[in-house]
Amino acid sequence: MTGFEMITISAAAALTLIACWTDIRRMEIPNGLTVPAAVSGLVCHGLMQGWEGLGRSAAGAAFGMAPLLILFLLRGIGGGDVKWFAAYGAWMGSVRALELAVWSILFAGGIALLLILLRAPGLRKGFGAIAWPWGKHPLEAGKGGAKFPFMLAVGPAFAALMWGGFG
């Protein structure tokens, strides 16, 4: 692994940890994190790799943002998640941004399935006693469903991709 790859992975890991922390605590990923992260990714790639690196970083931001923008428009995630993926893509590039988006959506589906299973009669009573910090409790949520921070899915997806060495 080159020194530049270590820089990009370290930046992406820090971005992920900070976003997980803020999203889990407040259901928010602030612009004060995403905007400087995206700009610094663009600048770093531009300085280290010239116009070609800047172009790849910009493409990474666009490809990171695109699939999440669709989920945002469907009201499945918040705007901070979209901006976070743009910043992640600016650091990690198109392929890794899309890869993380796919894995994060799969992890989010797993969390949603778990929440549905916990509504089963045998599990309902025990699960109902657990406090839910992100709005309506999943057992009380009606048509809109229960909400959870998307970073609950992104964090483990990022860890799995790091552990697997990315596809």
Side-chain angles (χ1 to χ4, degrees), residues 65-155:
M65 185 176 70
L68 282 294
L69 187 57
I70 295 166
L71 289 176
F72 172 74
L73 293 173
L74 295 172
R75 301 181 145 207
I77 60 170
D81 298 306
V82 177
K83 291 177 272 187
W84 184 88
F85 266 88
Y88 179 84
W91 276 102
M92 297 297 288
S94 302
V95 172
R96 287 187 172 177
L98 288 173
E99 189 174 44
L100 182 62
V102 168
W103 281 100
S104 297
I105 291 166
L106 291 173
F107 271 80
I111 292 169
L113 180 60
L114 177 64
L115 293 177
I116 290 169
L117 292 175
L118 289 172
R119 295 180 97 169
L123 302 172
R124 192 176 191 87
K125 186 175 181 179
F127 181 54
I130 298 171
W132 191 255
W134 304 297
K136 285 187 179 180
H137 194 282
L139 296 181
E140 299 170 6
K143 183 180 176 191
K147 295 183 181 198
F148 61 88
F150 189 54
M151 283 292 162
L152 281 179
V154 176

